[in-house]
Amino acid sequence: MRTEQAPQLSIRIDASNPNHHLWNNNGTWWINFTIHPTPIMKERVRHSLRTRSVDEARAGRDALLLKLTSRVCA
């Protein structure tokens, strides 16, 4: 009998680093994090936040992680 498991996020919060999960690639901010679609596999996710503003990137990161967290935990 096989049961489907919801993907698990692997997100660590580093309060001392406001840009955690962010990196600037030639002026454009990106987010990266890891999900575990199964207990055995892991997948790195990289997504452009399409902004040159670090403040917009932080807001975009927070919104995306909140959305993913609520979807996985629901």
Side-chain angles (χ1 to χ4, degrees), residues 16-29:
S16 67
N17 180 4
N19 295 335
H20 194 69
H21 294 294
L22 297 176
W23 90 91
N24 188 315
N25 185 10
N26 294 318
T28 301
W29 286 97

Side-chain angles (χ1 to χ4, degrees), residues 9-73:
L9 290 172
S10 180
I11 298 174
R12 294 185 181 104
I13 305 299
D14 183 356
S16 67
N17 180 4
N19 295 335
H20 194 69
H21 294 294
L22 297 176
W23 90 91
N24 188 315
N25 185 10
N26 294 318
T28 301
W29 286 97
W30 288 67
I31 184 172
N32 67 325
F33 55 91
T34 303
I35 62 171
H36 295 268
T38 69
I40 299 170
M41 297 173 54
K42 68 180 176 181
E43 178 181 341
R44 287 180 87 177
V45 178
R46 296 177 178 172
H47 178 74
S48 174
L49 296 168
R50 299 181 184 185
T51 184
R52 293 182 171 273
S53 165
V54 69
D55 293 327
E56 288 179 18
R58 290 174 185 159
R61 171 204 56 201
D62 294 346
L64 181 62
L65 294 179
L66 180 63
K67 181 178 176 182
L68 289 172
T69 302
S70 65
R71 198 183 309 165
V72 169
C73 295

